[in-house]
Amino acid sequence: MTPWRRWIGWALLVLGLAAASAAQAHKASDSYLVLEVAGHRVSGQWDIALRDIDFALGLDLDGDGRITWGELRARQADVDAWALGRLALQRGGACALGVTQHLVDEHTDGGYAVLRLAGDCPAAQGELALDYRLLFEVDALHRGLLRLSLDGTPQTAVLSPDQPSQRFRPGERSRLAAFGQYLVEGVWHIWIGFDHILFLLSLLLPAVLVRSAAGWRGVARFRLALHEVLWVVTAFTAAHSITLSLAALEVVTLPSRWVESAIAASVVLAALNNLVPVVQRRRWVVAFGFGLIHGFGFASVLTELGLPAQALVLSLLGFNLGVELGQLAIVAAFLPAAYLLRNSAFYRRGVFVGGSLLTAALAGVWLVERAFDLRLLGG
């Protein structure tokens, strides 16, 4: 193998291991902030993951890996001060915010502390400025998902380290702006969706190979690999777009634990199919079938973020398109490198076999965790 191909091969392997390590070490986190600002008055609710609070403040006093209501209640004042110190509203000056009630709720990824908020702003009209800094100093993947009603106008936003501060004005929001925001969110959520990425990569790994009696060998032309990949990605996109739309519009709903467990199972089966081929041709059929399940997983993001009623169709279209663009970016980075290495033992044994084994093992742990509500990998 020439040196430059060896470097490409190592890059593929390192990126795969990095993705797997990131998936094990820490799940990308979100908090959910719902605010209603009507004149002077501010009210709302802030859901923050218990694992994130524990990471920042250390709630697990007995070190048993579980956070109890008693442990949370013992640090409630510290939690309030920590959270409110990272959220600021201004309308004619700084708005005074306080926590009026403490609750606990379950989201698809675990327990959340719920802070009920109330306060007042100096001015009863005009724009609202919001500054959000929760966890940004320790977690660049964290996002704050905002649903705001400003004098009766519903608005949504995603707050990130790149955009921690935003300004809102009463009145109808541009439909084009909503489309653009949800487009970006679609790209972002495929890139941080480790299970979706590993499923896609499991289907892409054999695209540059052909199985014969003597074993796996590289395809003769890049066009053949590209044709296979286009069928797989198109089928996956079509399938998850169908169920994402149905679930986001609340036409069909499924229990989140079933969905997340089925997604993990799909990754296991796709990876094992590389090692013991059951489906060798028409992998697009597998992509379509399991893509229907993955669509329900994507829909959980939209459920938490919310779809603006005044731009519902455009926002849904934007999110779907964003997911597709995110997938195509992964394909564009992976496929040319895989094609160049397809005839090397490094790719066939290290990347293809080794990557499939690693993926199956990791997804198997996810399956057990999600099906039985366990935490085997931590974080």
Side-chain angles (χ1 to χ4, degrees), residues 8 15 57 65 92 128 144 163 171 197 206 215 300 304 344 354 356:
I8 293 174
L15 286 174
L57 300 179
L128 177 77
Q163 289 187 311
I197 290 175
S300 66
E304 301 288 6
S344 68
S356 296

Side-chain angles (χ1 to χ4, degrees), residues 133-367:
R133 305 280 173 174
L134 191 73
L135 288 168
F136 288 161
E137 71 275 13
V138 293
D139 185 0
L141 295 180
H142 178 76
R143 294 294 184 270
L145 306 184
L146 172 69
R147 296 172 64 180
L148 169 67
S149 174
L150 181 58
D151 294 335
T153 300
Q155 303 193 44
T156 60
V158 179
L159 302 149
S160 66
D162 295 331
Q163 289 187 311
S165 301
Q166 296 196 31
R167 294 179 176 273
F168 306 90
R169 293 183 178 181
E172 186 174 2
R173 190 185 180 202
S174 165
R175 287 178 171 81
L176 185 59
F179 174 82
Q181 177 195 334
Y182 281 83
L183 177 74
V184 172
E185 283 309 299
V187 174
W188 170 252
H189 278 89
I190 187 66
W191 285 352
I192 65 172
F194 300 114
D195 44 9
H196 303 295
I197 290 175
L198 288 183
F199 176 75
L200 183 60
L201 289 177
S202 294
L203 295 177
L204 294 181
L205 283 171
V208 296
L209 301 174
V210 176
R211 187 171 176 82
S212 63
W216 292 99
R217 58 181 174 81
V219 296
R221 297 187 300 275
F222 181 77
R223 179 181 176 183
L224 296 175
L226 181 60
H227 181 266
E228 170 77 7
V229 167
L230 289 177
W231 272 103
V232 167
V233 173
T234 301
F236 185 58
T237 298
H240 73 60
S241 296
I242 292 170
T243 47
L244 189 159
S245 301
L246 291 175
L249 297 174
E250 299 182 349
V251 176
V252 179
T253 57
L254 293 177
S256 60
R257 182 179 292 184
W258 293 6
V259 171
E260 296 302 321
S261 299
I263 289 174
S266 74
V267 180
V268 173
L269 294 174
L272 291 179
N273 188 66
N274 293 340
L275 304 172
V276 184
V278 176
V279 180
Q280 297 186 46
R281 297 183 177 181
R282 297 186 177 181
R283 278 188 292 268
W284 66 268
V285 176
V286 176
F288 185 87
F290 285 129
L292 294 172
I293 299 171
H294 283 248
F296 287 107
F298 288 125
S300 66
V301 176
L302 282 180
T303 300
E304 301 288 6
L305 181 58
L307 285 168
Q310 73 276 18
L312 188 147
V313 175
L314 271 180
S315 299
L316 186 57
L317 176 63
F319 190 86
N320 266 309
L321 183 57
V323 170
E324 172 69 358
L325 291 175
Q327 291 174 171
L328 291 177
I330 294 169
V331 170
F334 175 83
L335 187 59
Y339 179 76
L340 288 173
L341 297 168
R342 69 195 186 285
N343 289 316
S344 68
F346 179 84
Y347 182 83
R348 294 197 303 269
R349 296 174 188 171
V351 178
F352 180 64
V353 175
S356 296
L357 282 170
L358 177 64
T359 297
L362 179 58
V365 175
W366 285 340
L367 177 57

